[in-house]
Amino acid sequence: MVDSDLTGQIECTTEFIGKGGFGYVYKGRWVEEAVNAVRAPIVVKVMNLASPPMDERQKKRQSKQIKRELELWSKISHQNILPLLGIAYINPDDNIPAFISTWMDNGNARQFRRRYPNFPPLLILHDVIQGLHYLHTFNPEIVHGDIKAVNVLINDRYEACLCDFQLSRFLVDNSLWRTTGTQVARGTLRWMSPELMTGKQCTPTKESDIYAYGMTCYEIISGDVPFKSVRNEANLIHSVIVEKQRPEHVESSDLDDMWDIITKCWVEEPEDRPRTAEVLELVRKRTPLKVKAIHLPPQPSRLNKSG
């Protein structure tokens, strides 16, 4: 449940966690007055976006819109979606709030896979598509807009949780903090669909999410980002748009199991890509129901994992 505005209840530490396309992530902490036995460790995502000065009328309008968004997010509850605890204005002059979420000790899917290479990647991919299906079938529908391994966090039950979908909603609706300007495609280039790359589609869609899911499957199984050997962005765009290339198959039994699903997800035309329900059903059939003994710290068992 979203606690709405947490300004004054939390503070941002100097412990830097990482940088993304939307901003910087720091370890946070509850201020003394807000601490109690049930307060979980937190992270603070500080937005790195230009914001024009606002007068009082504009600030009130923005505040109302943010509260409406928080009311929507307070209804979102799924085991594979990272819960948003609330927002906070870290600096008094900030127009854009920071986003407050629960800290995940196991890190993101890329880090987790490197640390525990024997953990079945299909369990992670099942969780991701299950969470994405929840977002796409929510009312109103929610598009994630930036699916990749670093935006998949692993909780203490070894369940994968999609994060940063809230940021995508804010960025698609630029009226939340911008008084001028047009909407532009958001996301990360290596995972970005052709229609977003070319500008044919200006904002992320459910179809572009499916494309990014295919790229994320490749990334989590292979251990490499898509198009790892292509260093230049212009060359990457040329490879995808002109040469219509996709990442090459590498030797992996897990990739063999998922390859037909992956190639369905990253087809050229958006309307030819499967919906989340179809992908979820295909992935579920190939997901192991029981995790065999692997070298992980003792945690609750993952038996009969299904939606």
Side-chain angles (χ1 to χ4, degrees), residues 29-58:
R29 63 171 168 245
W30 299 96
V31 298
E32 186 175 353
E33 293 81 1
V35 173
N36 62 51
V38 299
R39 291 293 194 183
I42 55 174
V43 293
V44 179
K45 187 135 196 175
V46 180
M47 299 297 94
N48 182 31
L49 295 164
S51 175
M54 291 186 181
D55 58 29
E56 287 305 312
R57 182 183 60 82
Q58 291 169 325

Side-chain angles (χ1 to χ4, degrees), residues 90-298:
I90 303 301
N91 300 310
D93 295 331
D94 286 346
N95 286 334
I96 305 169
F99 292 75
I100 316 302
S101 297
T102 306
W103 167 259
M104 296 285 187
D105 282 323
N106 284 319
N108 63 53
R110 180 187 295 177
Q111 296 166 329
F112 184 78
R113 282 280 289 150
R114 288 175 179 170
R115 195 179 304 125
Y116 305 114
N118 292 328
F119 188 88
L122 285 179
L123 285 177
I124 299 174
L125 301 180
H126 173 269
D127 287 353
V128 173
I129 191 62
Q130 189 164 252
L132 187 61
H133 178 64
Y134 175 82
L135 292 179
H136 282 194
T137 56
F138 194 76
N139 185 20
E141 297 173 347
I142 297 175
V143 172
H144 186 286
D146 197 26
I147 300 171
K148 54 186 177 181
V150 297
N151 281 340
V152 177
L153 302 181
I154 310 298
N155 66 21
D156 59 3
R157 298 184 301 276
Y158 305 135
E159 295 168 336
C161 302
L162 277 170
C163 67
D164 277 6
F165 75 92
Q166 306 102 331
L167 307 184
S168 301
R169 281 188 61 85
F170 267 69
L171 288 168
V172 167
D173 184 2
N174 61 14
S175 65
L176 282 172
W177 56 67
R178 294 175 186 166
T179 55
T180 61
T182 56
Q183 293 177 346
V184 294
R186 296 281 178 174
T188 311
L189 196 62
R190 293 180 185 275
W191 293 259
M192 188 179 289
S193 64
E195 66 272 15
L196 289 178
M197 279 191 182
T198 61
K200 183 178 180 181
Q201 175 66 44
C202 292
T203 56
T205 63
K206 292 190 292 184
E207 291 76 19
S208 66
D209 270 356
I210 288 292
Y211 180 97
Y213 173 75
M215 289 293 175
T216 303
C217 289
Y218 178 88
E219 176 190 16
I220 289 175
I221 293 174
S222 71
D224 290 327
V225 296
F227 307 103
K228 179 183 178 182
S229 62
V230 183
R231 302 292 183 182
N232 183 281
E233 286 192 355
N235 290 341
L236 176 59
I237 293 172
H238 183 271
S239 297
V240 174
I241 302 303
V242 179
E243 299 181 2
K244 305 193 183 304
Q245 292 183 1
R246 300 294 184 266
E248 295 182 357
H249 190 292
V250 295
E251 187 174 345
S252 164
S253 59
D254 289 315
L255 200 57
D256 290 341
D257 290 341
M258 284 288 293
W259 192 247
D260 63 321
I261 300 175
I262 291 171
T263 54
K264 285 176 184 287
C265 291
W266 67 29
V267 297
E268 184 74 14
E269 298 301 329
E271 60 269 21
D272 293 334
R273 297 170 200 154
R275 294 183 178 272
T276 52
E278 179 184 346
V279 179
L280 177 57
E281 183 62 25
L282 291 171
V283 174
R284 182 173 286 156
K285 290 177 180 177
R286 301 171 201 202
T287 303
L289 293 180
K290 182 176 180 179
V291 181
K292 298 179 181 179
I294 50 180
H295 299 294
L296 291 169

